Amino acid sequence: MENYLKKNFEVEAKNPSEEALRRWRNAVRVVKNPRRRFRMVADLAKRAEAETKRKKIQEKLRVALFVQKAALHFIDAGTRVEYKLSQHVLEAGYGIEPDELESIARSDKKALEEHGGVEGLAREVSVSLKDGIASSEIANRQNIYGINKYAEKHSKGFFMFFWDAFHDLTLVILMICAAVSMGVGIATEGWPDGLYDGLGIILSIFLVVMVTAFSDYKQSLQFKALDKEKKNIIVQVTRDGFRQKISIYDLVVGDVVHLSIGDQVPADGVLISGYNLTIDESSLSGEPEPVHVNQQRPFLLSGTKVQDGSGKMLVTAVGMRTEWGRLMVTLSEGGEDETPLQVKLNGVATIIGKIGLAFAVMTFLVLTARFLVEKAFHDDIKHWSSDDALKLLNYFAIAVTIIVVAVPEGLPLAVTLSLAFAMKKLMNDKALVRHLSACETMGSSSCICTDKTGTLTTNHMVVNRIWICNETKIIKRDENEKSLKSSISEVVYNILLQSIFQNTGSEVVKGKDGKPNILGSPTERAILEYGLLLGGDYKIHRQESAIVKVEPFNSVKKKMSVLVSLPDNGGFRAFCKGASEIVLKMCDKIVNADGEVVPLSEDQRKNMTNVINSFASQALRTLCLAYKDIKDKSNVDGIPDNEYALIAVVGIKDPVRPGVKEAVKSCLAAGITVRMVTGDNIFTAKAIAEECGILTHDGLAIEGPDFRAKSPQQMQEIIPKLQVMARSSPTDKHTLVTQLRSVFHEVVAVTGDGTNDAPALHEADIGLAMGIAGTEVAKENADVIIMDDNFNTIVNVARWGRSVYINIQKFVQFQLTVNVVALTINFVSACITGSAPLTAVQLLWVNMIMDTLGALALATEPPNDALMKRPPVGRSENFITLTMWRNIIGQSIYQILVLGVLTFYGKHILGLSGSEATLTLNTFIFNTFVFCQVFNEINSRDMEKINIFRGIFDSWVFVLVMVVTVGFQIIIVELLGTFAETTPLNWKLWLASVVIGAVSLLVAVVLKWIPVETIEQSVKDKHHDGYEPLPRGPELA
């Protein structure tokens, strides 16, 4: 079976090939209800159609942007439309029509100038470029200019899911059989006695369809809520006079939006101001070349990404009035790729379905042959009555019902149910799963490459130490500026404040409460907070000098620089801050205690290196602040990279998050190797890694430049011991991930927050983007977004991923056992006695127990601590393990023996006699069979441990399903005998049914003593690839 599954039903978890997707679709043969079975499967035809539409829109946009760039004004002038203000726009207080405003971002600069530039547009949409819109105007603006949402297909209602569930071919055939049965029954037995058999089947079908539709509908609501959350982006705007964060859905025309590296442009707009703003328009136009947005080319289009720089824009069009809105409608077609487990279980369902179909045909042929032989034996072959027709119809109904039970249509859908449940729980636990497959893949992860800042640490940074004027000072929060001011000269004090407030990508704004609020990255906030503590004033220092050029911080350069013009025509001054060793190399001078710039001697440089290492070894993030005066006004094409004067070295404290050490220990015990990949100094990285329990005594810490200088062979030698990579670039992270996946065949999860982390996030098996510190580019390339940037949340995703995998295995074990027993009992009984002990109605109830209700009970169990004490599931491991086969075969043998004995010797054993003896025996067999499944469902909660009751009350869904199953079984046996062909049982027979079912618990205990782990281990050893295994497991913990 496994070889067949691997050949036909194997797809990659991430970016599967179209060939693999088509291969498994072609291999699926026995499908009862394609509409339901393939509901969560990508529609490849629709996807291809959507791709064609997308390319057409991109081509149209590419031409429009080319015209705009080439400034072909005469073309635009010839086709420009005259707009007249409508009454409702005038009454709303605006001076421009929505259609005209929408066209501006796709027009040329001349069209913008006709409206008086960005200031004129701001007047026409009644907004202050300084204070933004007033919150009270939002509803009015949405009414006139639209909302920032694109058109989506209406979600299906409950009736549509009910209708889909009714498209099961076998259920339709059964309904026809039931209708014929009722017609013949009424004709022969009269009203209402002839009605009951057929009506029982119809009511059972209706119940099955109702429960199935309700389960599917609940899943769809969960996915809809998650989908809305996935598309939600937090945008920074100025409203009511202060900066604030809002949802992209709340953005309106007239909003002043702040953009920085990695942001997605949330709507069409016009640039107000900016520095080095570079936009990647490839997602919209398909053009890979970045576009520089400035006052000459001020237009910004929704859906594009900020590649570099920063800026402010005025929103001119939102939602479906943007090209991105129209493009997104096509992108939503076709659906998401199916997960590897969904595909694999489609394969399992196909194999079982073929076997079930064969058994059903054989059962019908055997029953019919016996019936015909009996008629021939009694010389009655030429005489046919309505009773004979009903018998044959009943045989056919039983055969069809066997197909209903035997084809496990719910297997692939159980994966969806389990994933929906896990994704909802993870959302509550601050993890947003963007791709379904990531949830199950995370359960197989064997390596996590994690960032340090904000993930292992709290991300609440404060300046803890500063080296300035040859002195190290410890910063205390209760001290004011006088303590530092008194120890350094006025010149040094002023230059320090200038370097803090002039060279920053953050902003100090007034909050709603009137207090200063610092917006920006945690490192920037810490430095600005320190500047305010020193008595500095953000606005005053920013107004002292005009900013000429800005080079924002990025993870490659590891520094930020700014060029400002000094007042009174005093030339220019460049400020630089960043990674200590990088900025120190750029310095050849130092600011002394008197504020004079003096040459930096070799001894001083060594001393500075010792100071930096001293700070770093205390787990402090170190930054150097430096400046350079430029007298030559003609040479200001770029910001210089050398001959700076060192002002200070700052040590920033970022404490380790509570619980991280325990989480790392949990990972190691689970066989998951944790590696820290950070841009920080190696001493800082090692100190934090040791504190977290990542770096062990025999582990290796290396710097990015050293790692990238290694040959592939050397990398293979060091990677098994590599635990910390410091001063790493995004390229180093990508190289490490590639090596781990391709050479060591690891399932790798990697965290990232910056735009440059996108390739590593895309390459990894599971890309984890940070929700707080992460850019929109990083989030878009990730599979899971960690909303609280917490390593504990990453471990929780791994726990839930393992839970999904093991829950599906439990459900498969349970369902296969029911299949084997139901098929065998009905077939053997048909062959020997000429009748099936389980009727169509009873089999439909059994089908609901093992399908929808079984999936609800077993596929939604929450994770337990034991899951993180076993090694991860490898890429090539069999889904149906030897342990599962042991349990399936053992339980099946017990149930078949018990039910077989009851079928042939039940009357004698139970002492049954009289006209009701056969009906009572069949009812007892049916009741015993159901209780065997109830207790087997409890057995399936743990495939290896003997105590299967541990944590049973933690899963209220499981308990509820058990109660509903037993309760409805009592109702069927005691009250619905007319429809279900049962008769009430006495207390002794009820007790006997429960006891026989409960014995399966003891059978499970015996089975679990049969060892299979040694066989499985020898299979794994046989497929070892020869590389040194990566260190992991409880011994590391």
Side-chain angles (χ1 to χ4, degrees):
M1 181 190 275
E2 285 294 338
N3 289 335
Y4 175 77
L5 290 176
K6 283 175 183 175
K7 182 183 176 184
N8 296 290
F9 294 90
E10 193 88 32
V11 297
E12 286 291 321
K14 217 168 173 180
N15 308 314
S17 67
E18 189 160 324
E19 182 195 349
L21 295 176
R22 290 195 184 281
R23 184 172 62 242
W24 83 259
R25 282 164 173 75
N26 294 332
V28 174
R29 291 278 181 255
V30 184
V31 181
K32 298 187 296 180
N33 187 350
R35 284 177 69 151
R36 182 169 182 256
R37 175 88 162 262
F38 301 125
R39 182 167 51 83
M40 296 299 292
V41 168
D43 188 325
L44 299 182
K46 274 190 181 177
R47 184 182 285 181
E49 192 180 319
E51 181 66 18
T52 306
K53 281 185 195 172
R54 185 177 68 83
K55 283 180 178 174
K56 282 182 181 175
I57 293 173
Q58 283 188 332
E59 186 58 36
K60 177 183 159 191
L61 268 168
R62 193 170 15 244
V63 172
L65 291 170
F66 178 75
V67 169
Q68 192 186 83
K69 287 175 190 173
L72 299 175
H73 304 311
F74 62 91
I75 293 177
D76 192 55
T79 58
R80 192 162 289 152
V81 181
E82 290 292 328
Y83 294 94
K84 289 184 180 178
L85 276 179
S86 57
Q87 192 61 35
H88 75 287
V89 173
L90 280 169
E91 286 172 0
Y94 304 120
I96 187 167
E97 278 291 310
D99 290 342
E100 185 175 9
L101 190 59
E102 171 194 334
S103 68
I104 283 175
R106 295 190 298 278
S107 189
D108 57 27
K109 195 159 184 281
K110 189 177 176 184
L112 179 63
E113 287 168 355
E114 285 176 4
H115 289 273
V118 68
E119 293 81 7
L121 267 186
R123 285 192 296 273
E124 288 179 328
V125 293
S126 304
V127 64
S128 160
L129 293 179
K130 181 186 174 189
D131 297 330
I133 66 166
S135 296
S136 56
E137 302 171 5
I138 292 171
N140 191 34
R141 289 176 183 275
Q142 286 179 333
N143 185 40
I144 301 294
Y145 295 109
I147 57 174
N148 200 27
K149 290 181 182 177
Y150 59 84
E152 293 183 81
K153 287 190 294 186
H154 291 293
S155 55
K156 295 200 304 192
F158 174 76
F159 176 76
M160 286 307 297
F161 284 100
F162 186 81
W163 182 243
D164 283 352
F166 248 126
H167 278 72
D168 190 316
L169 180 62
T170 52
L171 295 184
V172 171
I173 294 170
L174 278 179
M175 287 184 73
I176 294 168
C177 291
V180 173
S181 175
M182 284 192 290
V184 176
I186 291 169
T188 55
E189 298 175 38
W191 180 276
D193 293 344
L195 194 71
Y196 295 135
D197 287 351
L199 190 61
I201 293 174
I202 287 174
L203 290 174
S204 299
I205 290 170
F206 185 77
L207 181 64
V208 168
V209 168
M210 279 291 290
V211 172
T212 301
F214 181 74
S215 173
D216 291 349
Y217 179 61
K218 288 288 286 180
Q219 277 180 54
S220 77
L221 292 180
Q222 287 178 336
F223 281 122
K224 187 180 177 184
L226 287 164
D227 197 47
K228 186 180 178 185
E229 195 60 41
K230 279 193 282 189
K231 292 168 185 168
N232 189 17
I233 295 171
I234 300 303
V235 184
Q236 286 204 17
V237 299
T238 297
R239 276 187 186 176
D240 302 312
F242 62 90
R243 238 165 109 169
Q244 53 188 286
K245 293 177 181 178
I246 63 166
S247 165
I248 192 170
Y249 300 129
D250 298 328
L251 201 68
V252 293
V253 166
D255 262 320
V256 175
V257 177
H258 299 260
L259 299 170
S260 56
I261 294 178
D263 285 350
Q264 177 174 308
V265 179
D268 285 0
V270 178
L271 182 71
I272 299 169
S273 62
Y275 301 104
N276 294 350
L277 191 59
T278 306
I279 302 292
D280 175 11
E281 294 184 343
S282 60
S283 58
L284 200 59
S285 66
E287 285 290 340
E289 275 300 308
V291 175
H292 297 283
V293 176
N294 46 43
Q295 298 305 329
Q296 281 67 48
R297 201 271 185 199
F299 305 107
L300 291 142
L301 294 174
S302 176
T304 56
K305 310 292 188 305
V306 180
Q307 198 174 73
D308 204 356
S310 60
K312 286 198 296 184
M313 66 173 267
L314 174 69
V315 175
T316 59
V318 294
M320 286 305 293
R321 288 190 171 274
T322 67
E323 287 296 348
W324 181 248
R326 287 186 272 271
L327 187 63
M328 284 304 285
V329 173
T330 67
L331 290 178
S332 62
E333 295 286 335
E336 190 176 341
D337 284 329
E338 50 274 19
T339 74
L341 261 184
Q342 282 176 318
V343 174
K344 198 164 274 187
L345 288 182
N346 264 296
V348 173
T350 300
I351 294 168
I352 297 168
K354 288 176 181 176
I355 296 168
L357 183 62
F359 266 84
V361 171
M362 285 193 293
T363 303
F364 177 70
L365 291 175
V366 167
L367 287 170
T368 305
R370 278 187 65 100
F371 173 71
L372 293 173
V373 167
E374 281 180 15
K375 279 187 79 69
F377 187 74
H378 292 101
D379 294 326
D380 204 22
I381 196 73
K382 294 180 181 178
H383 301 93
W384 290 82
S385 64
S386 56
D387 285 345
D388 294 336
L390 270 177
K391 265 191 178 181
L392 287 174
L393 188 67
N394 186 45
Y395 293 158
F396 182 69
I398 288 170
V400 173
T401 313
I402 286 173
I403 297 173
V404 173
V405 177
V407 180
E409 204 83 327
L411 268 184
L413 297 164
V415 181
T416 313
L417 176 67
S418 189
L419 287 171
F421 183 77
M423 287 166 75
K424 185 183 175 186
K425 292 291 182 185
L426 282 170
M427 186 67 214
N428 296 335
D429 292 341
K430 304 292 181 187
L432 174 62
V433 180
R434 294 186 72 248
H435 300 132
L436 270 178
S437 59
C439 201
E440 64 185 51
T441 309
M442 193 65 193
S444 301
S445 61
S446 54
C447 172
I448 298 175
C449 296
T450 176
D451 286 333
K452 176 186 77 69
T453 307
T455 309
L456 299 171
T457 58
T458 60
N459 220 11
H460 181 70
M461 299 190 185
V462 288
V463 176
N464 182 269
R465 279 173 170 72
I466 185 169
W467 180 95
I468 191 167
C469 299
N470 288 314
E471 271 189 79
T472 298
K473 302 179 187 299
I474 298 172
I475 311 301
K476 295 177 181 173
R477 299 291 103 190
D478 53 352
E479 292 181 0
N480 58 20
E481 72 270 16
K482 290 179 183 175
S483 61
L484 181 67
K485 208 171 181 180
S486 59
S487 62
I488 60 174
S489 70
E490 185 76 20
V491 176
V492 177
Y493 176 76
N494 286 331
I495 200 80
L496 176 62
L497 289 181
Q498 281 177 29
S499 70
I500 289 172
F501 291 113
Q502 293 279 12
N503 187 20
T504 180
S506 294
E507 197 174 341
V508 181
V509 297
K510 195 178 284 185
K512 288 182 179 178
D513 53 3
K515 294 179 181 176
N517 186 19
I518 304 171
L519 299 170
S521 69
T523 307
E524 293 272 25
R525 286 204 304 269
I527 295 172
L528 282 182
E529 201 175 89
Y530 178 59
L532 295 174
L533 185 72
L534 291 176
D537 187 298
Y538 176 79
K539 282 191 175 175
I540 291 173
H541 283 94
R542 294 288 279 194
Q543 288 164 4
E544 279 178 354
S545 309
I547 294 175
V548 179
K549 287 193 178 204
V550 176
E551 282 184 4
F553 178 88
N554 67 46
S555 52
V556 177
K557 295 176 184 174
K558 299 193 186 299
K559 66 182 177 69
M560 176 183 180
S561 305
V562 66
L563 185 69
V564 300
S565 59
L566 297 173
D568 303 324
N569 210 18
F572 297 92
R573 178 170 287 170
F575 291 102
C576 181
K577 73 174 177 203
S580 302
E581 57 269 38
I582 290 172
V583 176
L584 185 59
K585 281 180 185 174
M586 294 165 60
C587 296
D588 61 356
K589 294 178 276 295
I590 191 168
V591 180
N592 67 14
D594 300 321
E596 296 171 347
V597 175
V598 297
L600 181 65
S601 68
E602 211 45 52
D603 287 343
Q604 283 176 310
R605 190 179 292 276
K606 284 179 183 175
N607 180 45
M608 292 312 309
T609 303
N610 291 335
V611 168
I612 291 164
N613 292 343
S614 167
F615 281 14
S617 61
Q618 295 171 65
L620 298 179
R621 167 173 273 195
T622 63
L623 294 177
C624 281
L625 308 180
Y627 85 104
K628 176 182 181 177
D629 282 333
I630 303 167
K631 300 297 181 186
D632 183 4
K633 297 176 188 176
S634 61
N635 189 23
V636 287
D637 291 337
I639 303 174
D641 281 335
N642 53 23
E643 298 180 352
Y644 278 82
L646 183 68
I647 304 167
V649 179
V650 177
I652 300 171
K653 182 75 174 172
D654 185 14
V656 170
R657 283 183 184 271
V660 163
K661 191 168 186 177
E662 290 72 22
V664 170
K665 193 173 180 181
S666 171
C667 282
L668 295 173
I672 302 172
T673 308
V674 182
R675 291 181 171 82
M676 180 199 286
V677 184
T678 177
D680 265 347
N681 180 297
I682 192 163
F683 294 102
T684 309
K686 284 168 76 173
I688 294 287
E690 284 171 3
E691 193 177 341
C692 295
I694 293 172
L695 185 60
T696 57
H697 66 280
D698 58 346
L700 175 66
I702 193 171
E703 289 190 319
D706 296 335
F707 177 76
R708 76 181 78 113
K710 303 282 184 192
S711 67
Q713 187 59 42
Q714 289 172 318
M715 283 185 183
Q716 287 172 22
E717 289 170 8
I718 66 167
I719 283 175
K721 296 172 187 173
L722 180 62
Q723 291 173 344
V724 175
M725 192 193 292
R727 285 291 179 239
S728 68
S729 69
T731 310
D732 299 329
K733 188 186 280 189
H734 183 265
T735 304
L736 177 62
V737 171
T738 306
Q739 287 282 324
L740 285 166
R741 290 188 74 230
S742 60
V743 178
F744 293 95
H745 308 295
E746 295 286 298
V747 179
V748 184
V750 64
T751 67
D753 51 19
T755 304
N756 292 323
D757 286 328
L761 290 169
H762 189 266
E763 172 68 24
D765 293 285
I766 312 103
L768 305 160
M770 300 297 106
I772 299 170
T775 63
E776 286 308 318
V777 173
K779 291 175 188 175
E780 196 176 87
N781 282 276
D783 304 294
V784 181
I785 298 172
I786 308 300
M787 308 296 279
D788 59 356
D789 292 13
N790 193 338
F791 186 78
N792 290 319
T793 306
I794 297 171
V795 177
N796 201 31
V797 175
R799 288 176 79 240
W800 272 103
R802 290 187 173 201
S803 178
V804 166
Y805 192 86
I806 203 83
N807 283 349
I808 299 304
Q809 284 188 316
K810 293 175 192 174
F811 176 59
V812 169
Q813 176 183 296
F814 168 68
Q815 193 164 55
L816 288 183
T817 307
V818 183
N819 274 338
V820 169
V821 176
L823 288 176
T824 307
I825 286 295
N826 270 311
F827 179 69
V828 172
S829 178
C831 290
I832 297 173
T833 67
S835 64
L838 300 177
T839 66
V841 172
Q842 291 167 4
L843 281 170
L844 283 169
W845 169 234
V846 168
N847 179 64
M848 197 157 75
I849 292 173
M850 75 169 196
D851 200 327
T852 310
L853 295 179
L856 275 171
L858 292 169
T860 59
E861 284 225 277
N864 55 58
D865 293 336
L867 287 174
M868 296 302 281
K869 291 174 183 172
R870 57 171 69 195
V873 178
R875 288 182 191 274
S876 58
E877 286 192 30
N878 294 342
F879 177 72
I880 303 178
T881 62
L882 291 175
T883 301
M884 291 168 68
W885 281 122
R886 176 197 65 191
N887 296 339
I888 291 165
I889 293 167
Q891 289 290 346
S892 297
I893 289 170
Y894 165 69
Q895 290 185 28
I896 289 167
L897 285 174
V898 168
L899 296 172
V901 168
L902 288 174
T903 301
F904 301 115
Y905 306 105
K907 289 180 186 176
H908 176 71
I909 293 169
L910 300 172
L912 300 174
S913 59
S915 59
E916 293 288 307
T918 302
L919 182 60
T920 303
L921 176 62
N922 284 344
T923 303
F924 180 73
I925 290 170
F926 166 57
N927 205 38
T928 304
F929 179 69
V930 169
F931 274 100
C932 279
Q933 307 325 314
V934 168
F935 285 102
N936 191 36
E937 202 161 349
I938 297 170
N939 271 330
S940 297
R941 289 191 69 247
D942 199 310
M943 295 181 289
E944 294 172 6
K945 298 284 191 309
I946 289 172
N947 183 5
I948 37 84
F949 293 102
R950 182 182 295 162
I952 193 168
F953 294 108
D954 293 341
S955 176
W956 64 268
V957 178
F958 185 90
V959 175
L960 181 66
V961 167
M962 292 293 101
V963 171
V964 168
T965 304
V966 173
F968 204 74
Q969 178 66 16
I970 293 169
I971 292 169
I972 288 174
V973 171
E974 297 296 320
L975 303 176
L976 299 178
T978 311
F979 300 103
E981 295 183 47
T982 59
T983 187
L985 301 176
N986 60 43
W987 70 269
K988 291 179 182 176
L989 292 178
W990 270 104
L991 181 63
S993 291
V994 174
V995 168
I996 291 170
V999 169
S1000 67
L1001 299 177
L1002 299 176
V1003 172
V1005 172
V1006 173
L1007 289 171
K1008 285 168 186 175
W1009 281 102
I1010 300 172
V1012 293
E1013 290 84 358
T1014 51
I1015 304 168
E1016 288 187 330
Q1017 190 58 49
S1018 67
V1019 172
K1020 288 179 194 174
D1021 292 342
K1022 186 180 172 184
H1023 293 291
H1024 193 266
D1025 54 20
Y1027 284 108
E1028 183 181 350
L1030 297 174
R1032 58 162 60 93
E1035 67 278 0
L1036 266 182

